[in-house]
Amino acid sequence: MQNKLKIINDPVHGFIRIPHEILFDVIEHPYFQRLRRIGQTGLLNLIFPGATHTRFHHALGAMHLMFTALETLRQKGIKISEEEEKGAMLAILMHDIGHGPFSHALENMLMDDWHHEKLSLLLMNKLNEEFNGELSVAIEMFQGKYHRKFFNQLISSQLDVDRLDYLNRDSFFTGVSEGNINTQRIISMMNVCSEGELVIDAKGVYSIENFLAARMFMYWQVYYHKTSALAEFLLVKILQRAKYLVSEGMDLPAGENLRYFLHRAKSSATDEDIYRFTQLDDNDIIHAMKSWQNSEDFILSYWCRCVIQRNLPKTIISTRPFEKEFIEEKIKKTNEFFGIDNGKELVHEIKRKLLPYDTEKQPIYLLKKDGEKIRLEESQDQLLSGLVVHKTARYILTFPREISQIIS
């Protein structure tokens, strides 16, 4: 009989245990193995060459942190059954199972407005049938419907184990040290209050503030870096353009499963849609872009060359929207330089906004020694929380690099 209680060596967390056989069975399933071929950070490796880690890495790391968090809570006297432990670990293990190629960038392009969480739930239900209902508790927790609220919060909240893993992991692989957080310290401060909610022991206030600040820096320095934002934007535009050209009757070379989605009309998801989706990964998109570099459509070939050859368009970043006249001038120059009349397709303003800590949506609570529960931003000890409750925005204008030489 096969030993399923394996140990995995992870570059971020060290050795990760698989304490339940069902976890191993889910990891071995083709739905989960596909995550080995889905990048965690899209095209970030064009900017940070080390960022080639995958959703597979991240899901295992989040599962490990969930196990650590539950052990911590047990030591503080919180009763957690083996069934609940399995459920929580399965839920976080599968939380990204519905991610499409290049993660967030393309999820709406392939399956209309199907968010990855909707697809994750759909795939979880399919797996639950295969595993004779063993994932039922996990699905309840993933949906935020479990009767003990702290389980739902460990999976999805402003301080969940998903964020704890991806911040550290992305910081590690990009080499951006500002995102490095002390996950062990944060987890050791976790507790459950009398109402059954996840809270942080009050003495952990600075670790939480450091976490919120690290997340803010990672967004502006990595995820929303102007070239990162551009690369993600280009992926969306490439797929949009390809779908448009196919709808106009052009025959674009693509793998069988990607071709299926390029030709797919808007509709609710069918069994074939789901099957095809689980066969898609980053390689299908890369292969298509390599081929489309030679497309007769100038816009599509231009964008694909930009990505594949890493000759990206020029970007300018600003804290306020760009003047309409300034954008029109870029479009005019683009038309003149390339001898085209649809230069507006190559000039775009991209907006990115961030609220590092939302005090209304699942606020973070601190638990004082006397049992009183207070909001993080209300703590007399807080230093930064007042600064991370404001929304910030950046505007990025992108246009062909070729015309930057001829603009006065």
Side-chain angles (χ1 to χ4, degrees):
M1 186 178 162
Q2 185 183 13
N3 171 27
K4 297 180 179 180
L5 304 180
K6 304 283 188 186
I7 292 176
I8 297 167
N9 195 352
D10 178 70
V12 176
H13 303 305
F15 292 110
I16 291 176
R17 281 181 57 214
I18 299 177
H20 304 289
E21 292 195 357
I22 183 66
L23 293 167
F24 180 83
D25 291 336
V26 168
I27 290 167
E28 289 287 278
H29 194 280
Y31 286 177
F32 194 83
Q33 288 293 315
R34 181 183 73 99
L35 298 182
R36 289 181 183 273
R37 303 183 300 279
I38 303 278
Q40 169 72 7
T41 49
L43 286 173
L44 262 188
N45 64 321
L46 292 178
I47 299 95
F48 304 94
T52 54
H53 54 304
T54 65
R55 291 268 154 197
F56 185 85
H57 280 141
H58 163 59
L60 292 176
M63 179 196 76
H64 167 72
L65 293 182
M66 177 64 81
F67 182 69
T68 311
L70 297 180
E71 285 295 294
T72 299
L73 294 177
R74 276 197 179 114
Q75 286 164 12
K76 294 186 179 182
I78 310 301
K79 292 213 171 351
I80 294 168
S81 70
E82 186 177 320
E83 204 58 37
E84 287 174 325
E85 177 180 288
K86 267 193 226 175
M89 291 182 74
L90 282 164
I92 201 67
L93 182 69
M94 296 186 293
H95 78 285
D96 277 349
I97 208 165
H99 261 294
F102 288 104
S103 299
H104 294 281
L106 299 182
E107 62 187 23
N108 292 336
M109 282 307 308
L110 297 170
M111 296 282 279
D112 305 327
D113 58 350
W114 277 65
H115 191 267
H116 70 269
E117 288 178 2
K118 195 171 180 181
L119 283 160
S120 290
L121 183 59
L122 213 145
L123 295 181
M124 280 185 202
N125 283 318
K126 283 193 171 292
L127 287 171
N128 200 26
E129 288 173 27
E130 282 188 45
F131 290 115
N132 302 313
E134 279 195 75
L135 312 183
S136 298
V137 173
I139 290 169
E140 207 178 329
M141 289 177 177
F142 177 78
Q143 291 181 284
K145 294 177 178 175
Y146 195 66
H147 65 279
R148 301 181 77 189
K149 192 174 178 184
F150 71 90
F151 282 107
N152 309 328
Q153 290 172 301
L154 282 168
I155 293 158
S156 180
S157 67
Q158 293 198 85
L159 191 60
D160 55 36
V161 294
D162 174 23
R163 292 184 184 191
L164 292 182
D165 182 80
Y166 79 64
L167 281 179
N168 251 8
R169 191 167 299 278
D170 297 349
S171 165
F172 178 88
F173 283 100
T174 57
V176 176
S177 58
E178 286 81 357
N180 190 15
I181 52 171
N182 188 341
T183 52
Q184 296 307 311
R185 166 73 177 166
I186 292 171
I187 287 174
S188 74
M189 291 293 114
M190 286 181 174
N191 212 329
V192 176
C193 66
S194 55
E195 296 95 62
E197 286 188 65
L198 186 70
V199 290
I200 299 295
D201 290 333
K203 61 185 176 183
V205 60
Y206 300 132
S207 298
I208 303 309
E209 291 201 311
N210 182 50
F211 158 77
L212 293 172
R215 186 167 176 269
M216 179 176 67
F217 287 130
M218 282 296 283
Y219 266 86
W220 288 124
Q221 203 167 333
V222 177
Y223 313 127
Y224 289 174
H225 179 290
K226 63 184 181 129
T227 316
S228 307
L230 169 65
E232 184 175 301
F233 180 77
L234 285 178
L235 274 177
V236 173
K237 298 308 284 185
I238 286 167
L239 260 287
Q240 267 180 356
R241 187 74 183 174
K243 281 192 94 164
Y244 164 74
L245 294 171
V246 163
S247 74
E248 292 290 298
M250 186 183 282
D251 184 35
L252 286 178
E256 185 187 342
N257 294 304
L258 179 57
R259 176 183 285 270
Y260 173 85
F261 283 105
L262 291 177
H263 287 266
R264 178 182 175 273
K266 273 193 176 239
S267 67
S268 53
T270 64
D271 283 345
E272 186 174 6
D273 288 342
I274 303 304
Y275 170 75
R276 297 276 191 176
F277 185 83
T278 60
Q279 302 302 303
L280 270 182
D281 57 49
D282 292 2
N283 298 318
D284 296 278
I285 308 297
I286 291 170
H287 178 74
M289 289 192 294
K290 284 168 70 176
S291 177
W292 296 344
Q293 289 178 102
N294 306 312
S295 169
E296 61 193 61
D297 180 70
F298 176 76
I299 302 294
L300 183 64
S301 66
Y302 180 84
W303 279 333
C304 290
R305 286 197 310 274
C306 285
V307 173
I308 296 298
Q309 299 171 22
R310 205 208 173 278
N311 184 18
L312 297 168
K314 182 86 173 153
T315 50
I316 310 172
I317 192 162
S318 169
T319 54
R320 55 173 65 94
F322 290 87
E323 298 289 340
K324 193 179 174 191
E325 297 73 24
F326 187 66
I327 296 173
E328 292 294 334
E329 181 206 355
K330 298 283 187 281
I331 294 170
K332 181 168 169 284
K333 295 283 187 185
T334 300
N335 282 331
E336 289 170 1
F337 184 87
F338 292 112
I340 56 177
D341 60 7
N342 57 349
K344 69 178 188 302
E345 297 288 347
L346 299 179
V347 181
H348 291 279
E349 183 179 77
I350 307 164
K351 182 182 179 184
R352 289 287 181 270
K353 60 181 189 294
L354 177 69
L355 178 58
Y357 173 52
D358 189 338
T359 55
E360 298 307 310
K361 184 186 171 191
Q362 293 184 313
I364 297 169
Y365 285 99
L366 301 177
L367 186 66
K368 293 165 75 172
K369 278 188 176 175
D370 62 5
E372 187 191 352
K373 186 181 80 167
I374 59 166
R375 284 172 174 253
L376 172 65
E377 69 276 16
E378 291 168 356
S379 167
Q380 291 184 333
D381 294 322
Q382 64 88 13
L383 299 172
L384 297 172
S385 302
L387 302 174
V388 293
V389 295
H390 303 295
K391 193 176 283 185
T392 45
R394 297 286 183 275
Y395 299 84
I396 301 158
L397 186 69
T398 174
F399 52 89
R401 188 166 292 278
E402 293 87 341
I403 68 166
S404 62
Q405 308 301 321
I406 56 171
I407 292 174
S408 54

